[in-house]
Amino acid sequence: MQPYSLFGEDRRPGARSSFVRPAHIVFASTLLLGSATGLHAQVDTGSLAGTVTDASGAAIPDADLTLREEATGVTARLHSGKDGSFNFSPLKLGTYTLTVSHDGFKQSVTGHLDVSIQSRLEVSPHLEVGSAGEVVQVSAGSELLETRSSSVQQLVEERTINALPLNGRNATFLAQLSPGVTFAQNDARGLQASGSFTANGARRTQNDYLLDGMDDNAAIADLVNQGQYVVMPPPDALREFTVQTSTYSAEFGHSAGAVLNVSTKSGDNKLHGNIWEYLRNDALDAKDRFVLPSQQKPAFRQNQFGGTIGGPVVIPKLYDGRNRTFFFADYQGTRIAQGKTYTSTVPTLAERNSGYTNLQDLIALQSGTLTDGLGRVFPTGTVFDPSTTRALPTGGVDPITGLHGTAGAYVRDPFYSGALGGVTNFNTNANRALLNQIPGTRLAPNAVQLINLYPTPTGSTLQNNYVSSPVNRTTTDSFDVRFDETLSQRDSAFVRYSFVNTTQVVPSPFPGVADGSASRPGNGRTQSQNIALSETHIINSHLVNEARIGYSKVRDTRLQLNANTLGIPAQYGIPGIPQIAGNGGLPQFTFGQLTSLGTPGTLP
């Protein structure tokens, strides 16, 4: 059996391969030994194997086999073994033509053989007796039987990736079409929006993401990209991918969930490409159900634009890379401006206008009553004076009101502008009007200043009385560049570099230092990179070395809106708060049922 050089090696029975993938830097060097036929590890490639026979079914040894990739013209050659068997492996993804010839037999040509990720196709050429100049064309229109793998997997091809509608042009959503796979539970981090999924009941963090055979798993998986992967090229840059959910072959052992194995496109002998622009706009949307009738619809504008180009590397008068050197590149930009509707609780207008001395709205906008240890009835929302807290003396007669209660029970009087003696029912109209009048001297000036940071309400209720729709802005730029090279009859290689830069500004429900933001995701920038380099060298007809190295990196910075605004706590009489650049703003405060004020404690 002779070696060949189509991005792969001569695989023999009994050979084994290893594939080691640490989290961020991946290196795999596979040394394969053996002869004739066999099954071997192929992370993002395929194989084509079978037996050459004559019309009677007898094996034909030493038949000449040529496998040609139709798009690039790159060819591979080998001879069938003594039992007529052959095995082209690993094969770069693509469509191939297999030509088989032998002295005394007509030449057999089988075209349009599609090799996909992890496919191990079986082809059995039958040679007819005749002149070598005669050719028998064999159609491969029917799907070839997969006989060499027991893994349960779903193949998603290029046509499917580009034809099906995808939210945000994220091909990861197509994994949810596979058996045993469903979307992941949503949470505050928005992971569901990234296409995050679960397989066979395993957690979403137990899935394994591969890009061109290299590790693509994000160590920090809940940031701006809000997914478990480092990078995911746009659909137009993907050749195909598979989702494997059980009975993985030996080269997969990273996770207990599914394996999402993605392969990017490469160039061929024809220059080709495309451009796109996808638009979504609030003019086409219905109004948010939580937006008040008097308010406009929240803004929403999403633009995704970009293009791809691929082909042979040709430098006029210097280099012609047809049938040898190919490139593929893509770029996608995403611009999203989306109004985010917040429903918050702020002080009522009457409370604010009175300097928080008139808290009548706490009673007027609520219903119900409560009873204390003296049997006094109060309307819900009554504010009690903490300085009047006392225990009833022996005998149970309260010296302040003259009312009877249980000895030792603690009671407290309300803020009430009338006389307390003998009053048992504060829920009458006359008595309700005298409640919740707070003396201004009892309020700390810095506390009033802090509460004044809240905006004026947009509604007249006690709770959920402030609705705002500030604009959330996301800017993403990404690109991928790949080169494939047939170095010689014994060497082939490819290299790919992917880069994604995302900046996100998540507005707060309140203006200025009042903030009130949620703990995630915050504002900042995420940069993601993934590199894959592969080189295959045929040492001799029995020995092949395939080496791969990969590198992944995610750098993320999350800051609060007022991260570089320093000295804010001191302005409100709050000493001792250390602040440096990146950790400024107002600390978080909580006032009863009001929405929290200031910056969440999880940032930066």
Side-chain angles (χ1 to χ4, degrees):
M1 187 178 278
Q2 301 299 318
Y4 71 95
S5 59
L6 187 64
F7 299 96
E9 63 255 33
D10 183 1
R11 304 276 186 141
R12 305 299 180 105
R16 294 292 182 266
S17 66
S18 62
F19 192 72
V20 182
R21 292 185 291 104
H24 292 283
I25 298 180
V26 183
F27 178 78
S29 181
T30 307
L31 197 62
L32 306 172
L33 301 171
S35 61
T37 61
L39 285 177
H40 308 281
Q42 299 154 176
V43 177
D44 65 333
T45 57
S47 65
L48 189 65
T51 303
V52 182
T53 61
D54 59 19
S56 67
I60 300 178
D62 202 34
D64 184 37
L65 296 101
T66 302
L67 190 64
R68 178 180 179 274
E69 187 180 3
E70 296 176 2
T72 65
V74 177
T75 60
R77 293 189 62 189
L78 56 80
H79 290 84
S80 59
K82 294 181 180 180
D83 58 354
S85 62
F86 64 91
N87 185 8
F88 290 92
S89 175
L91 285 179
K92 173 188 168 185
L93 308 185
T95 302
Y96 293 86
T97 296
L98 176 64
T99 302
V100 185
S101 59
H102 194 282
D103 292 340
F105 293 90
K106 299 177 183 180
Q107 190 178 74
S108 172
V109 178
T110 306
H112 309 303
L113 298 168
D114 291 323
V115 175
S116 58
I117 294 179
Q118 287 286 296
S119 64
R120 296 175 171 89
L121 303 182
E122 191 81 34
V123 182
S124 298
H126 299 287
L127 301 187
E128 301 177 6
V129 176
S131 168
E134 298 180 87
V135 177
V136 177
Q137 293 283 349
V138 181
S139 174
S142 59
E143 187 172 350
L144 297 177
L145 180 64
E146 170 61 78
T147 62
R148 299 184 166 225
S149 174
S150 62
S151 64
V152 178
Q153 64 182 28
Q154 174 77 37
L155 173 65
V156 182
E157 299 174 318
E158 179 182 353
R159 181 177 180 274
T160 303
I161 295 173
N162 289 314
L164 291 178
L166 292 172
N167 183 15
R169 289 176 49 76
N170 183 352
T172 311
F173 282 97
L174 294 176
Q176 298 174 13
L177 302 178
S178 304
V181 175
T182 186
F183 59 87
Q185 183 179 2
N186 203 9
D187 62 7
R189 294 167 291 181
L191 289 174
Q192 190 183 85
S194 73
S196 185
F197 62 91
T198 64
N200 298 330
R203 295 168 61 91
R204 60 180 157 217
T205 53
Q206 293 176 320
N207 297 325
D208 186 17
Y209 291 84
L210 299 175
L211 184 60
D212 290 325
M214 288 289 100
D215 188 284
D216 192 35
N217 295 285
I220 38 181
D222 56 354
L223 305 171
V224 166
N225 65 337
Q226 297 169 335
Q228 265 68 49
Y229 47 82
V230 176
V231 298
M232 184 58 62
D236 305 79
L238 302 183
R239 169 86 190 191
E240 62 188 35
F241 66 81
T242 60
V243 182
Q244 299 182 58
T245 54
S246 64
T247 59
Y248 314 126
S249 51
E251 65 267 38
F252 301 104
H254 179 280
S255 303
V259 177
L260 183 66
N261 195 356
V262 180
S263 179
T264 60
K265 288 181 180 178
S266 59
D268 54 41
N269 277 332
K270 294 182 179 180
L271 187 66
H272 56 83
N274 68 325
I275 59 175
W276 62 83
E277 164 74 32
Y278 292 89
L279 168 67
R280 295 176 63 187
N281 196 287
D282 56 77
L284 308 175
D285 293 341
K287 198 170 185 178
D288 191 309
R289 71 178 66 181
F290 297 108
V291 175
L292 296 176
S294 59
Q295 290 185 303
Q296 295 182 345
K297 287 186 297 185
F300 180 49
R301 294 176 296 277
Q302 177 174 301
N303 292 76
Q304 289 183 284
F305 52 90
T308 67
I309 187 171
V313 176
V314 177
I315 303 176
K317 299 182 180 181
L318 293 177
Y319 182 76
D320 188 346
R322 294 180 181 89
N323 300 327
R324 180 182 180 90
T325 308
F326 309 96
F327 78 96
F328 185 88
D330 67 84
Y331 163 80
Q332 177 167 276
T334 301
R335 305 292 185 266
I336 302 175
Q338 183 172 13
K340 182 176 178 63
T341 300
Y342 293 98
T343 302
S344 311
T345 298
V346 301
T348 67
L349 197 60
E351 292 169 346
R352 185 182 187 91
N353 290 340
S354 69
Y356 310 100
T357 60
N358 180 359
L359 304 184
Q360 276 283 307
D361 279 350
L362 294 178
I363 296 174
L365 299 178
Q366 297 188 85
S367 60
T369 60
L370 54 89
T371 304
D372 73 348
L374 291 173
R376 296 180 296 182
V377 177
F378 299 96
T380 300
T382 299
V383 180
F384 292 86
D385 185 351
S387 67
T388 64
T389 304
R390 60 191 181 276
L392 297 181
T394 302
V397 178
D398 180 27
I400 304 298
T401 64
L403 299 176
H404 291 268
T406 303
Y410 281 87
V411 294
R412 179 181 292 177
D413 296 326
F415 282 103
Y416 182 70
S417 57
L420 293 171
V423 181
T424 59
N425 186 3
F426 289 85
N427 199 35
T428 64
N429 290 336
N431 288 336
R432 285 163 63 105
L434 300 177
L435 291 170
N436 288 10
Q437 305 296 325
I438 315 298
T441 56
R442 300 292 298 276
L443 301 179
N446 60 335
V448 173
Q449 279 187 292
L450 281 172
I451 298 180
N452 276 335
L453 289 173
Y454 283 108
T456 56
T458 58
S460 57
T461 59
L462 186 62
Q463 294 183 323
N464 299 328
N465 56 2
Y466 180 76
V467 178
S468 59
S469 298
V471 178
N472 184 336
R473 299 186 183 276
T474 301
T475 301
T476 301
D477 294 287
S478 66
F479 68 86
D480 306 272
V481 179
R482 172 169 172 157
F483 288 92
D484 292 80
E485 172 75 12
T486 301
L487 299 168
S488 68
Q489 288 295 314
R490 293 179 176 271
D491 292 275
S492 59
F494 83 82
V495 61
R496 175 196 44 78
Y497 175 71
S498 299
F499 177 82
V500 182
N501 182 79
T502 298
T503 58
Q504 190 172 33
V505 177
V506 181
S508 61
F510 303 140
V513 296
D515 200 344
S517 298
S519 60
R520 295 182 182 181
N523 304 276
R525 183 172 70 172
T526 299
Q527 287 187 340
S528 304
Q529 301 177 71
N530 184 278
I531 303 172
L533 173 63
S534 173
E535 200 276 340
T536 301
H537 176 65
I538 300 174
I539 300 173
N540 55 46
S541 62
H542 297 279
L543 194 61
V544 175
N545 186 76
E546 181 181 15
R548 292 198 181 194
I549 186 169
Y551 175 77
S552 292
K553 179 180 180 180
V554 177
R555 178 183 176 87
D556 186 85
T557 303
R558 303 283 96 192
L559 295 174
Q560 59 268 41
L561 282 171
N562 301 284
N564 295 312
T565 304
L566 308 182
I568 297 300
Q571 296 179 21
Y572 296 93
I574 308 169
I577 304 295
Q579 291 194 315
I580 59 174
N583 190 29
L586 183 72
Q588 191 173 62
F589 291 89
T590 301
F591 302 98
Q593 295 181 339
L594 299 179
T595 299
S596 294
L597 192 70
T599 294
T602 56
L603 298 174

